[in-house]
Amino acid sequence: MTLWYYADALHHRHGPLSGEELTLRLGRGELDATTLVWHEGLPQWQPLGAHLGELGAAAGAAPAVLPAAATDVGVLAAAPVAAPTDASLPLATAPALGAGAVVYAGLWRRVAANIIDGLVTSVAVYALLIPVLLVFGVGAWSVSDGAHGQGAALGLMAFVYGTSLLLPALYTAWMQSSRHQATLGKLACGIKVVRSDGSQLRFWRSLLRYGVYVAVVLLTLGLGLLVSGLMAGLTRRKQAPHDLACDTLVVDRWAFTAHPEHQRDRLDTVSIVVLALYGICVVIALAAVVFLVGMIRLGQH
């Protein structure tokens, strides 16, 4: 007897089912001609509409009649369907990685994306703050001896820190809830942020995700950054604390699309270049610090 599997709208795989059970679900409207099905011997996932004759012969009767337009769907490309819940199922019955797996973005792709986003948001913040400081800063500090001047200086400082936090938060929330589902850094590195079921984030969830990330880092005095990195690199679905709190995943740009076979479970060229340049900058900075410390000590002698 042929055992069938089918994929639901969330790309979860169900089965095994007999042909009769699959036909019954089709007749009840739980499945339709575009539902992707697979059984051992098929090269890839295919629409149910392409197997109505086979199912009717197996069941001893014709399956539910569907509109002609619905059955003329052709063979679809392989779909992103999760692994079966039955752990005893032989590996030979599972489609290839590109046809069934979701590639989660690892630590280094996320680090490279954050480096790019940090550069983008820093340029934006300074582009906004420098003119404001030039216009209002001189006046605020020139009268800083009086109560009015001190209040103006405190207000200016609050504006500076508030802008430094708010602008990156709005940028991140807006970009990740857009049709791109990714910031500029994530776009460059070929990754995106989605809900755990693969759906698009809403603006407020994206903003909350960024807020949780900042809170974890600040409340732990930076230790949360290390924890986030370890979790993003070592957990099964590469979820950092803010991902777990907000039910999100960082995945390859082709995950949960019509072409999951384009996913790549490795560092892309942009990420490699960004990480290499950043590493060079860090080495140069450390060398400069060591050089300055050495010159200061020589001067003291």
Side-chain angles (χ1 to χ4, degrees):
M1 180 179 65
T2 301
L3 296 178
W4 294 80
Y5 301 85
Y6 73 89
D8 60 23
L10 299 179
H11 309 303
H12 295 155
R13 183 160 117 169
H14 300 270
L17 302 174
S18 66
E20 291 84 351
E21 177 62 24
L22 201 64
T23 302
L24 287 175
R25 297 195 182 198
L26 177 64
R28 292 197 298 262
E30 298 176 18
L31 311 176
D32 60 33
T34 63
T35 300
L36 292 173
V37 297
W38 181 84
H39 65 69
E40 188 170 4
L42 290 180
Q44 63 180 12
W45 291 82
Q46 298 178 357
L48 179 56
H51 297 276
L52 294 180
E54 181 182 351
L55 285 168
V65 178
L66 297 173
T71 60
D72 187 21
V73 292
V75 176
L76 299 180
V81 182
T85 55
D86 184 2
S88 64
L89 190 66
L91 292 177
T93 66
L97 171 65
V102 173
V103 174
Y104 304 104
L107 172 62
W108 295 114
R109 291 177 80 177
R110 295 173 69 158
V111 169
N114 285 338
I115 291 172
I116 297 174
D117 286 328
L119 179 62
V120 170
T121 54
S122 295
V123 170
V125 167
Y126 283 117
L128 177 62
L129 289 181
I130 288 175
V132 172
L133 291 173
L134 289 176
V135 173
F136 299 101
V138 176
W141 292 112
S142 63
V143 293
S144 58
D145 291 338
H148 178 74
Q150 291 178 355
L154 290 174
L156 189 61
M157 291 178 62
F159 175 78
V160 169
Y161 285 110
T163 301
S164 300
L165 290 174
L166 186 60
L167 193 60
L170 294 177
Y171 155 78
T172 301
W174 171 59
M175 289 293 294
Q176 290 182 168
S177 61
S178 70
R179 64 183 180 87
H180 300 293
Q181 299 178 272
T183 58
L184 293 177
K186 288 182 173 63
L187 281 174
C189 295
I191 58 179
K192 64 183 179 182
V193 184
V194 298
R195 295 287 303 276
S196 61
D197 60 2
S199 61
Q200 183 175 337
L201 269 67
R202 300 291 185 183
F203 176 83
W204 294 111
R205 182 178 294 273
S206 183
L207 185 63
L208 176 63
R209 180 179 182 272
Y210 184 85
V212 172
Y213 167 74
V214 172
V216 168
V217 173
L218 293 180
L219 293 177
T220 60
L221 301 178
L223 183 61
L225 190 62
L226 177 61
V227 173
S228 296
L230 290 174
M231 292 181 66
L234 300 177
T235 57
R236 184 177 65 86
R237 298 203 295 174
K238 314 298 184 184
Q239 287 179 292
H242 50 288
D243 291 313
L244 293 172
C246 299
D247 187 37
T248 58
L249 299 169
V250 184
V251 297
D252 187 273
R253 59 181 290 191
W254 292 104
F256 301 105
T257 69
H259 298 284
E261 67 276 9
H262 295 332
Q263 297 179 94
R264 295 292 179 266
D265 192 13
R266 62 175 183 268
L267 280 177
D268 58 292
T269 303
V270 173
S271 298
I272 293 173
V273 171
V274 170
L275 291 171
L277 291 176
Y278 187 77
I280 291 172
C281 291
V282 170
V283 170
I284 292 174
L286 291 176
V289 170
V290 171
F291 176 77
L292 289 175
V293 170
M295 293 298 292
I296 292 173
R297 288 183 175 178
L298 285 176
Q300 290 176 346
H301 293 296

